[in-house]
Amino acid sequence: INVSASQLSADGRFLSFTLTRSGFTDETTRVNANTSGYDIKALQSVGIISDSMGIGAADALDLDVDGLVTATAPGAIWLNEISNDLQVGVINSTGSSVTLSADRNIIDGNSSGADIRAATAIVLTATNGLIGAADGLEIDLADNRKVTATAKGDIWLAEQTGEFRTDTITSSTGGVRIDTPGAIIDGN
């Protein structure tokens, strides 16, 4: 399923989008952005693209996706996986921050390149799980910007270019591994 955002309603409660599934398109679909439970459910994967705004920028977009999640937007991206591992494909905010949370794990679902790209900040929270799993979660954050990561289990982050600036990196029961081609710097 690929979702392309086109317009937020005047009251900010509904997102109009184009839904493409197996070659069929429904251009009149609306999602209530303020419901309980999930905003998007998919049994395999979901791709979300916004050409002119953020995704879940004012309130996290709640997902229930049993597969790869990809998202691209010029604004902030804020996604929350409510029941499964958040399997990151490529999450790319070209002009703002990326905030990802999951009740379970935040893991690399992409076999090569940066999984998360952001211009201003990256914030990751795995409430009852880990971040990065077997091969690390690759990130590419603009220079002089900070990463915040919180998990119950292990955290493994790999900056793809430049230095790695920390805000806070906290694991309550596991270890922390940071890979970077540059320096690791306290951003506070």
Side-chain angles (χ1 to χ4, degrees):
I1 295 175
N2 289 316
V3 180
S4 298
S6 59
Q7 182 177 342
L8 194 61
S9 64
D11 64 3
R13 293 185 58 223
F14 292 93
L15 175 67
S16 297
F17 63 88
T18 302
L19 174 65
T20 305
R21 178 187 52 196
S22 302
F24 298 100
T25 301
D26 176 1
E27 296 183 9
T28 61
T29 306
R30 287 166 38 114
V31 167
N32 185 338
N34 294 318
T35 61
S36 59
Y38 57 83
D39 295 313
I40 296 176
K41 181 174 180 66
L43 297 177
Q44 292 184 359
S45 63
V46 66
I48 308 166
I49 300 170
S50 173
D51 292 328
S52 62
M53 59 186 175
I55 297 170
D59 183 20
L61 190 63
D62 291 327
L63 307 174
D64 185 0
V65 179
D66 191 13
L68 198 65
V69 175
T70 59
T72 301
I77 298 174
W78 186 7
L79 303 174
N80 176 41
E81 172 56 62
I82 61 171
S83 24
N84 297 297
D85 290 342
L86 178 52
Q87 299 177 46
V88 177
V90 175
I91 308 290
N92 184 16
S93 171
T94 57
S96 193
S97 63
V98 171
T99 301
L100 303 178
S101 59
D103 184 55
R104 293 173 44 187
N105 305 312
I106 301 174
I107 57 174
D108 182 356
N110 176 10
S111 60
S112 64
D115 302 306
I116 303 170
R117 297 182 184 109
T120 62
I122 295 174
V123 179
L124 306 169
T125 305
T127 306
N128 294 304
L130 54 83
I131 298 172
D135 69 343
L137 195 60
E138 292 89 8
I139 63 172
D140 189 1
L141 183 59
D143 290 340
N144 299 317
R145 303 303 179 167
K146 299 186 236 182
V147 176
T148 301
T150 306
K152 183 175 184 179
D154 293 337
I155 298 172
W156 183 2
L157 298 172
E159 170 63 52
Q160 298 295 289
T161 61
E163 5 180 92
F164 186 101
R165 279 190 190 271
T166 66
D167 183 13
T168 56
I169 310 292
T170 306
S171 171
S172 60
T173 63
V176 173
R177 176 176 171 175
I178 298 172
D179 297 338
T180 181
I184 299 172
I185 298 171
D186 180 356
N188 296 308

